Amino acid sequence: HHAHQQWPVDFHYGQQEMGAAARFVRHEIGAQGPAWTLSTACSSSAKALMSAARLLQSGLADVVVAGGADSLCRFTVAGFSALESVSAERCNPFSGNRHGINIGEGAALFVMSREPGPVRLSGWGESSDAHHMSAPDPQGLGAIDALRQALQRADLQPGQIDYVNLHGTATGHNDAMESIAVAAVLGSNVPASSTKPLTGHTLGASGAIEAALCWLALADNPEGRLPPHWWDGVADPALPPLALVEAGARAARPLHHMLSNSFAFGGSNAVLALSRSQQK
């Protein structure tokens, strides 16, 4: 448009609308049901999976394609840089030397139905801090609520959780809040890791991507391998200690249940519980 003072003939500004991605997927696969897009920053795609589960539970849909995508662009980089949240080095979650996030891009989609599969979305929890536009409640009260909701909906006790995929952005406030919340609900012995040093922080796609990593660990993982926590090993003494997974670590028991945390701007908290089918 800048060069020619008109849009290309095959472009319409509706392609830029927030809901366009979901409508595009519906068009490409020939689906006939409802399509919408959720935008709650870093909890978006985790909430999309919850929304899909509600469609299935209500009987409004038999099969749902749900997940998230986010792209890397100058607007995003500039926004996080203005918040002084971007690290110039590989991000270092929960380290005393952490300096912020690495922004990534990616996508993950699930086909969800009421039919049994190798892994099921056994529960979820969501809450809103209403604390600050970009900073979490430092006491982690909203995150604690979301974690407890996920356990309750999945009918699980804290001791049954075999692994937690942490939101783990490597920012000062988020890691501090999340460590408090996880320690308060699950204790300090459950294996946990942030996979963002491996993927970058994919923002709106992160919830679905990290749920997919949990799905892979549960579905076809006879060796019990766990996603590693890639960091410098320098624990922050101000944070409650967590059982961060070392590279090459294997689970001490068969993997049945996992949690995946997503904590977003505005205090939008989402926790997914994923379980191997036919297991309690």
Side-chain angles (χ1 to χ4, degrees), residues 83 85 131-136 171 173-174 264-267:
L83 293 172
S85 296
H131 171 75
H132 187 273
M133 185 62 74
S134 61
T171 59
H173 293 309
N174 178 86
F265 278 179

Side-chain angles (χ1 to χ4, degrees), residues 55-144:
L55 279 173
L56 294 166
Q57 288 182 344
S58 68
L60 292 173
D62 297 314
V63 178
V64 183
V65 175
D70 216 332
S71 61
L72 186 64
C73 64
R74 286 187 296 173
F75 177 82
T76 307
V77 174
F80 279 96
S81 296
L83 293 172
E84 299 181 346
S85 296
V86 179
S87 174
E89 305 166 340
R90 176 171 54 84
C91 69
N92 204 359
F94 299 94
S95 168
N97 298 320
R98 65 190 185 278
H99 300 297
I101 70 173
N102 302 145
I103 303 175
E105 64 179 354
L109 293 172
F110 289 82
V111 178
M112 299 175 62
S113 77
R114 291 184 292 273
E115 298 298 319
V119 178
R120 59 194 174 90
L121 180 61
S122 53
W124 63 86
E126 52 189 331
S127 65
S128 177
D129 290 354
H131 171 75
H132 187 273
M133 185 62 74
S134 61
D137 172 10
Q139 299 180 40
L141 298 180
I144 289 171

Side-chain angles (χ1 to χ4, degrees), residues 116-122 156 160 162 214-224 251 253-258 273-280:
V119 178
R120 59 194 174 90
L121 180 61
S122 53
L156 295 172
Q160 293 177 271
D162 301 307
C214 291
W215 192 100
L216 291 169
L218 287 165
D220 186 17
N221 183 18
E223 296 180 355
R253 63 191 191 191
L255 296 171
H256 295 325
H257 307 286
M258 296 183 174
L274 294 97
S275 300
R276 256 173 60 191
S277 293
Q278 308 304 319
Q279 296 290 343
K280 274 284 188 178

Side-chain angles (χ1 to χ4, degrees), residues 10-270:
D10 60 349
F11 174 80
H12 187 274
Y13 66 83
Q15 292 170 243
Q16 301 290 110
E17 293 177 352
M18 186 182 296
R23 293 195 299 271
F24 171 78
V25 172
R26 179 176 62 181
H27 172 77
E28 287 295 301
I29 66 177
Q32 300 298 317
W36 62 76
T37 298
L38 293 167
S39 181
T40 56
C42 308
S43 63
S44 299
S45 53
K47 284 179 170 283
L49 299 181
M50 301 176 192
S51 186
R54 293 187 180 102
L55 279 173
L56 294 166
Q57 288 182 344
S58 68
L60 292 173
D62 297 314
V63 178
V64 183
V65 175
D70 216 332
S71 61
L72 186 64
C73 64
R74 286 187 296 173
F75 177 82
T76 307
V77 174
F80 279 96
S81 296
L83 293 172
E84 299 181 346
S85 296
V86 179
S87 174
E89 305 166 340
R90 176 171 54 84
C91 69
N92 204 359
F94 299 94
S95 168
N97 298 320
R98 65 190 185 278
H99 300 297
I101 70 173
N102 302 145
I103 303 175
E105 64 179 354
L109 293 172
F110 289 82
V111 178
M112 299 175 62
S113 77
R114 291 184 292 273
E115 298 298 319
V119 178
R120 59 194 174 90
L121 180 61
S122 53
W124 63 86
E126 52 189 331
S127 65
S128 177
D129 290 354
H131 171 75
H132 187 273
M133 185 62 74
S134 61
D137 172 10
Q139 299 180 40
L141 298 180
I144 289 171
D145 186 27
L147 283 161
R148 288 175 173 164
Q149 285 183 44
L151 291 172
Q152 183 178 21
R153 186 171 273 112
D155 192 22
L156 295 172
Q157 297 299 315
Q160 293 177 271
I161 301 302
D162 301 307
Y163 166 76
V164 181
N165 188 288
L166 301 164
H167 189 56
T169 60
T171 59
H173 293 309
N174 178 86
D175 286 7
M177 175 279 294
E178 187 172 18
S179 60
I180 291 171
V182 170
V185 177
L186 302 174
S188 298
N189 295 321
V190 59
S193 67
S194 168
T195 48
K196 287 182 173 64
L198 306 174
T199 65
H201 190 354
T202 58
L203 307 176
S206 61
I209 289 174
E210 290 159 20
L213 294 175
C214 291
W215 192 100
L216 291 169
L218 287 165
D220 186 17
N221 183 18
E223 296 180 355
R225 293 174 296 174
L226 293 171
H229 188 84
W230 194 14
W231 67 322
D232 64 3
V234 179
D236 186 341
L239 306 185
L242 300 178
L244 299 174
V245 177
E246 296 182 1
R250 301 290 192 267
R253 63 191 191 191
L255 296 171
H256 295 325
H257 307 286
M258 296 183 174
L259 297 179
S260 182
N261 296 341
S262 298
F263 303 129
F265 278 179
S268 176
N269 306 302

